[in-house]
Amino acid sequence: MDKFVIRGGNPLVGTVRVSGAKNSALPCMAAAILTEEEITLENIPQVRDIDTERKLLASMGAEVDFGTVSSQHRTTISCRTLSDPVAKYEIVKTMRASSLVLGPLLARTGMARVAMPGGCAIGGRPIDLHIKGLEKMGATIIQEHGYLEARASRLKGAHLVFDKITVTGTEDLLMAAVLADGETVMENCAREPEVTDLAALLTAMGANIEGAGTSTIRVQGVSSLHRATYRINPDRIEAGTYLIAGAITRGDLTVAYCNPDHLRAVIAKLEEAGVRIDIPAADAVRVRPGNGLFATDISTEEYPGFPTDMQAQYMALATQAEGVSLIKENIFENRFMHVQELVRMGANIKVDGRTATVRGPAKLSAAAVMCSDLRASASLVLAALVADGESILDRVYHMDRGYERIEEKLRSVGAEIQRMGNVFAPRVPAAVAD
Ligand code: UD1
């Protein structure tokens, strides 16, 4: 298993380039199920979750272009035949977003068998809202042997109101609705840019969608969809992680090929904390030290609020800020796995329910730490960048799920970071297994 060895202390200086958004690419790849024609996606990040999704689609009978080493940021998927519309547990257990194939499989083939995702490190990850919506659209869904088996000769448009805002739930039902008979109105939808990305691809495929990016989405079902080529938007979470890397190391870092508009909540908090932020171009954000780094409270919310996927990284920064920061996690019940590891590095953090109290600044000292999930890993990398000495981060496969060659990107702007062990090679299926 790969490890990162990080020697802290260097300010990050220069320009770092952001990859395409993993959380947009995943539903967009699932959308290929909806048509017999070819879907080409550009700016696909070269990360492990994407490779898992390629495997998942291929296991169902899709023709998936795994790309050459130089063209892995582009993928072509053809779901002309879907001989086996099943998402197997072996794949679903490594990537819960696999449940995104439920809606499109049902819409396209009239049946789907998808393994139940179960819990994960950050808490229960139910898909009851996906099921409820599909049932309202006329599907019959039974659960047995750890699988959901869904059937519907043709889904019917319906009026759906989400009890709770769910990103992949909105995406899954949107994909089901585009081929349903008649109009579907979805209320209390997620407004994340990834939903908008998916809707843009579906529209390019011939779907009729209004209101994506707002809480009410209206879809007029069509009988079939066609080929399209679509470029995935930049990853706002990767971009936010690099902004914090610049801020925590007191560097002068430009985060390029990002969309500053998608980063508003993160930028606002960094400015409140005293970090100097400039937008030197429409697709770049520059971060520099201001007159100090001060504690600020954050509370995770659905978009456009502060993202839960940035909470762990922000906590690393809070350990270096002057004063007391209260960090409230509202989206997931157990998303403080990074706290114990940060404490082992010298951070002063107390957790009470869904709130972490961070007292800073703390002098962090290098340690051997364990990555527990994707964003927790990112927070440990950030802490290690300012810790005194050499930290060793174990289980960086969590990091490889969502950050494309982070060690190379950070090294190019001055970080001392090395990968030890088998270098991650996402194109080789054997390297994908957990
Ligand atoms: C997506 C993102 C993930 C991000 C999260 C919240 C992808 C692939 N992943 O995950 O990175 O952290 O949004 O921004 O896009 N819930 C239910 N029932 C459901 C579905 C969700 O109760 O059927 C609950 C969840 O337990 C959670 C909340 O709703 O408490 C939000 O979850 P959701 O938005 O669905 O997260 P994901 O889409 O899985």
Side-chain angles (χ1 to χ4, degrees):
M1 239 179 273
D2 288 8
K3 295 181 174 51
F4 280 160
V5 180
I6 303 176
R7 178 167 289 279
N10 295 0
L12 301 191
V13 178
T15 299
V16 63
R17 185 188 167 132
V18 174
S19 300
K22 163 182 90 74
N23 286 355
S24 287
L26 291 173
C28 287
M29 289 170 78
I33 292 173
L34 293 164
T35 174
E36 289 183 8
E37 299 187 13
E38 219 170 67
I39 297 300
T40 300
L41 299 171
E42 296 170 349
N43 204 27
I44 291 277
Q46 199 177 324
V47 297
R48 200 165 58 110
D49 273 7
I50 295 300
D51 213 53
T52 306
E53 178 117 349
R54 282 183 165 122
K55 267 178 60 182
L56 175 65
L57 293 170
S59 75
M60 295 174 180
E63 287 166 41
V64 183
D65 166 24
F66 281 80
T68 59
V69 173
S70 59
S71 69
Q72 281 178 12
H73 293 111
R74 181 187 166 97
T75 196
T76 298
I77 302 164
S78 165
C79 294
R80 199 155 31 91
T81 46
L82 286 169
S83 46
D84 195 14
V86 179
K88 298 183 183 69
Y89 181 64
E90 291 63 41
I91 298 180
V92 175
K93 74 176 181 195
T94 66
M95 191 186 66
R96 276 153 195 86
S98 308
S99 49
L100 273 170
V101 300
L102 183 60
L105 275 181
L106 195 53
R108 166 79 188 282
T109 71
M111 89 143 276
R113 271 195 92 223
V114 175
M116 295 287 289
C120 74
I122 63 174
R125 300 288 284 268
I127 54 166
D128 55 309
L129 302 176
H130 304 225
I131 297 169
K132 197 172 157 188
L134 291 170
E135 284 179 339
K136 209 144 181 228
M137 295 172 84
T140 308
I141 304 184
I142 55 166
Q143 189 189 326
E144 57 181 11
H145 311 303
Y147 278 78
L148 289 174
E149 192 164 312
R151 285 178 191 275
S153 51
R154 175 140 193 223
L155 291 169
K156 293 179 195 61
H159 187 178
L160 311 174
V161 182
F162 287 101
D163 297 336
K164 197 171 178 178
I165 297 176
T166 156
V167 178
T168 49
T170 300
E171 293 163 347
D172 202 15
L173 295 180
L174 177 59
M175 288 188 276
V178 291
L179 285 183
D181 198 10
E183 183 182 63
T184 299
V185 179
M186 296 161 63
E187 291 188 62
N188 202 26
C189 293
R191 292 179 288 162
E192 267 67 2
E194 294 76 25
V195 174
T196 318
D197 236 357
L198 170 65
L201 166 65
L202 292 170
T203 303
M205 291 165 67
N208 189 341
I209 302 168
E210 264 175 40
T214 74
S215 52
T216 303
I217 301 180
R218 279 173 197 278
V219 182
Q220 305 294 338
V222 294
S223 55
S224 67
L225 296 170
H226 52 72
R227 72 178 58 238
T229 296
Y230 185 72
R231 187 171 175 82
I232 303 292
N233 273 306
D235 195 312
R236 65 196 166 96
I237 306 302
E238 187 195 10
T241 303
Y242 294 139
L243 289 181
I244 292 187
I248 200 170
T249 62
R250 268 95 164 155
D252 180 351
L253 192 65
T254 298
V255 178
Y257 292 94
C258 67
N259 184 340
D261 206 39
H262 293 165
L263 288 159
R264 271 186 295 193
V266 174
I267 288 174
K269 274 298 158 190
L270 288 173
E271 286 181 328
E272 203 180 314
V275 177
R276 186 170 160 199
I277 300 271
D278 296 294
I279 314 280
D283 65 350
V285 182
R286 181 177 179 187
V287 61
R288 280 180 282 179
N291 296 323
L293 188 60
F294 309 105
T296 45
D297 298 341
I298 64 160
S299 183
T300 62
E301 310 286 350
E302 294 88 1
Y303 190 82
F306 192 94
T308 172
D309 284 352
M310 284 299 300
Q311 178 258 106
Q313 301 89 313
Y314 196 88
M315 193 181 293
L317 183 69
T319 67
Q320 301 307 296
E322 183 95 38
V324 180
S325 307
L326 296 183
I327 297 186
K328 183 144 194 262
E329 173 54 56
N330 292 306
I331 308 294
F332 291 109
E333 73 226 30
N334 183 26
R335 205 169 196 182
F336 285 139
M337 304 286 284
H338 41 288
V339 169
Q340 279 321 309
E341 300 300 280
L342 291 173
V343 167
R344 292 185 57 245
M345 296 176 79
N348 182 345
I349 308 171
K350 297 270 179 311
V351 174
D352 182 10
R354 285 180 174 242
T355 303
T357 305
V358 186
R359 291 190 161 74
K363 188 167 164 37
L364 298 184
S365 64
V369 287
M370 193 79 88
C371 300
S372 54
D373 66 64
L374 174 55
R375 308 302 169 186
S377 321
S379 88
L380 298 179
V381 167
L382 294 168
L385 289 175
V386 287
D388 188 16
E390 199 171 82
S391 296
I392 299 181
L393 272 66
D394 204 352
R395 302 198 179 165
V396 298
Y397 60 82
H398 285 294
M399 195 92 202
D400 293 328
R401 281 189 43 218
Y403 288 89
E404 179 173 325
R405 303 193 186 281
I406 189 169
E407 72 278 23
E408 288 173 21
K409 292 190 186 188
L410 290 177
R411 215 164 34 234
S412 74
V413 289
E416 270 190 61
I417 171 169
Q418 299 295 337
R419 180 184 288 263
M420 277 173 23
N422 298 327
V423 174
F424 169 57
R427 233 166 38 85
V428 183
V432 167
D434 253 329

